[in-house]
Amino acid sequence: MLGRGAIENLSTQELVRKKDDVVLVDVRSPSARGVSVIPGAITAEHYESSRQQYAGKTVVPYCTVGGRSYLYSRKLARQGVTTLNYRDSILGWCHAGLPLQSPDGEPTSRVHPYWNIFPLPSEYESTKG
């Protein structure tokens, strides 16, 4: 990795314990975020436009399954931001049976799984096909 250390991953259980102490950043597409988010998350766009507000905090990006969030974590780490990748991402959150919220803050069981190849627990409703 060109002399840079690997990005550390955060499990769902670790995120639940640390959630109030980190900045949770949703790096999914606007269409995915338009269905549901992990409560307390902000968008990458909001983070980028308000970085000063979050200075000194650990940033934890998430996506659907942890790939895009890993790339975003690498970008942040190169910029000197303390970051951990939430590798389980929103699908791991769902598999742990944790709550989601709609963009307007209401509880929801709907989730955008990106592709239908990613299974969801039966208590969640896929917005894909």
Side-chain angles (χ1 to χ4, degrees):
M1 208 183 283
L2 302 175
R4 290 179 174 78
I7 300 298
E8 289 186 47
N9 288 306
L10 197 63
S11 71
T12 299
Q13 295 77 16
E14 292 168 320
L15 177 58
V16 168
R17 281 196 312 271
K18 296 180 178 190
K19 194 164 175 296
D20 293 336
D21 300 322
V22 301
V23 180
L24 189 59
V25 178
D26 190 332
V27 299
R28 296 175 304 144
S29 69
S31 61
R33 293 189 316 255
V35 173
S36 62
V37 298
I38 295 174
I42 61 172
T43 66
E45 295 83 7
H46 176 80
Y47 174 75
E48 294 292 336
S49 69
S50 307
R51 278 189 179 218
Q52 209 47 17
Q53 177 182 347
Y54 304 107
K57 294 195 173 205
T58 299
V59 176
V60 178
Y62 77 91
C63 57
T64 303
V65 294
R68 287 172 290 167
S69 58
Y70 177 80
L71 294 175
Y72 191 71
S73 287
R74 283 184 51 183
K75 172 186 159 185
L76 294 177
R78 284 192 300 270
Q79 296 170 356
V81 175
T82 302
T83 184
L84 299 167
N85 178 41
Y86 177 34
R87 182 188 63 205
D88 298 340
S89 282
I90 201 162
L91 291 183
W93 187 264
C94 292
H95 281 280
L98 296 166
L100 296 173
Q101 68 182 34
S102 66
D104 61 0
E106 295 297 318
T108 186
S109 61
R110 298 179 72 225
V111 66
H112 187 293
Y114 193 68
W115 287 321
N116 280 332
I117 62 170
F118 299 127
L120 284 170
S122 61
E123 61 268 23
Y124 294 89
E125 174 190 348
S126 172
T127 60
K128 295 294 285 183

